[in-house]
Amino acid sequence: MPELPEVETIVRGLRPVLPGRRIREAQVLRNDLLRISSGAFRAGLQDRELLEVGRRGKNVVLTLSDSLRLVVNLGMTGRLLFLSGPPGEASSPHLGIKLSLSPPGALLYDDVRRFGHLLLLSEEAWREESARLGPEPLDPALTPEDFHALLSVSRSPVRSWLLDQTHLAGVGNIYANEALFRARLHPARPGHTVTPEESRALLEGLRRVLTDAIRARGTTLRDYRTASGGTGGYGVELEVYGRVGSACPRCKAPVRRIVFGNRSAFFCPRCQPEDR
DNA sequence: CATACGTCCTGCCAGC
DNA sequence: TGCTGGCAGGACGTAT
């Protein structure tokens, strides 16, 4: 899916265009993207103003009038697209939700696999949801000491730990693997064996990778698009993710792929030795 | 409680 | 050419 850099890119694309617009009408073409009835969803959005656009972890958070929150989680293949001007026949085969806006424009949610979902929550309900997520990796308030304290109480492989949104919010498989490469940590290292120095390097690597990816407007492997429909350019900068067999950019050893936790992990066996 | 694994869904691509 | 199996950025539910 869209991970933190992709969601942040979408948010930055929507921020200049959504606030100041009102939802004239909501259409639900795919019911299973919602956890409430489409009638309740449509009624809840109708005539609400769009006030703010934010992000928490991998969620796009739209603040509406009456402090309601429309929270969009894009799953693996979700797209959130803004169309300006009068509603054209913006038809995609997997269009799930369409919000018609005034002044004229539209916000579309499109999702091939439909692993994503949209929530319409009160301010209080959103606060509770948000509290279940871990800290934001780019928040300067998260210190290396905090980070190590969180990681070092887990017996999970560090790659799995990074993917757990209750530990840290926003990291997915691409950037977890890239950060581990930069920190020279084997993806299967149990969290509690990671030293303070190593976890400092991991947090630094993670922050560098995430900020570089935001600068490139994210990684488009296949489905991800920015809010205006563009692609992300970070794919060419990936050092290990998806690069089985190609030369490690540091030492030229062939990149390996292993599977655990039902996900692929990519790493350099020489730069990221399992034992230490 | 923490951790591990299968599952949801569709599409694409390599290999036969 | 056409089919089949494997794989995909996520996250939830269930089992242990």
Side-chain angles (χ1 to χ4, degrees):
Chain A
M1 122 166 186
E3 305 184 28
L4 188 156
E6 289 75 33
V7 177
E8 180 63 26
T9 301
I10 290 169
V11 162
R12 291 182 185 188
L14 296 176
R15 200 168 272 146
V17 294
L18 290 188
R21 285 186 150 94
R22 179 179 58 83
I23 301 170
R24 275 199 305 109
E25 184 193 9
Q27 289 170 266
V28 178
L29 294 93
R30 294 288 190 164
N31 256 312
D32 54 2
L33 297 169
L34 307 177
R35 294 173 185 176
I36 58 176
S37 72
S38 63
F41 185 78
R42 282 186 280 114
L45 290 180
Q46 172 106 41
D47 287 327
R48 287 241 149 63
E49 307 277 344
L50 290 156
L51 301 178
E52 284 175 38
V53 182
R55 179 189 62 75
R56 176 80 172 97
K58 302 175 192 173
N59 300 284
V60 177
V61 184
L62 305 180
T63 301
L64 313 176
S65 41
D66 303 316
S67 294
L68 283 186
R69 300 294 196 281
L70 177 60
V71 180
V72 184
N73 183 299
L74 301 108
M76 289 273 233
T77 55
R79 293 176 180 175
L80 199 53
L81 299 164
F82 175 79
L83 303 182
S84 57
E89 284 316 299
S91 193
S92 132
H94 299 288
L95 183 60
I97 306 285
K98 177 176 177 180
L99 307 184
S100 301
L101 309 175
S102 169
L107 186 64
L108 308 181
Y109 181 73
D110 179 283
D111 191 344
V112 173
R113 292 172 73 181
R114 303 199 305 284
F115 285 178
H117 59 257
L118 292 86
L119 305 175
L120 184 57
L121 302 175
S122 68
E123 183 170 29
E124 179 57 23
W126 165 239
R127 213 193 331 266
E128 286 169 19
E129 281 293 310
S130 179
R132 296 166 47 187
L133 299 173
E136 291 287 329
L138 294 180
D139 183 350
L142 177 67
T143 67
E145 292 73 28
D146 295 337
F147 183 73
H148 182 255
L150 294 170
L151 176 57
S152 62
V153 296
S154 172
R155 309 194 68 79
S156 294
V158 58
R159 199 285 313 264
S160 305
W161 186 88
L162 287 168
L163 296 188
D164 186 328
Q165 302 299 293
T166 68
H167 296 148
L168 204 61
V171 182
N173 205 29
I174 294 181
Y175 301 110
N177 281 284
E178 293 295 304
L180 287 163
F181 173 75
R182 281 158 184 76
R184 304 183 187 234
L185 268 177
H186 190 283
R189 275 279 297 284
H192 67 94
T193 71
V194 176
T195 67
E197 300 74 44
E198 288 173 326
S199 50
R200 176 180 293 270
L202 179 56
L203 182 59
E204 275 174 22
L206 190 54
R207 285 176 166 166
R208 212 169 73 238
V209 133
L210 294 173
T211 46
D212 287 352
I214 290 170
R215 191 172 303 121
R217 306 172 64 75
T219 303
T220 296
L221 296 180
R222 171 168 302 155
D223 300 289
Y224 160 69
R225 290 296 180 284
T226 69
S228 56
T231 55
Y234 196 70
V236 296
E237 297 182 52
L238 296 175
E239 300 194 284
V240 288
Y241 182 86
R243 305 185 53 84
V244 197
S246 66
C248 165
R250 271 196 306 249
C251 79
K252 307 305 176 203
V255 170
R256 285 189 53 196
R257 170 182 177 266
I258 57 176
V259 176
F260 58 92
N262 277 333
R263 320 286 298 270
S264 293
F266 301 91
F267 66 104
C268 169
R270 193 183 299 167
C271 296
Q272 299 164 268
E274 174 125 43
D275 50 341
R276 34 155 248 103

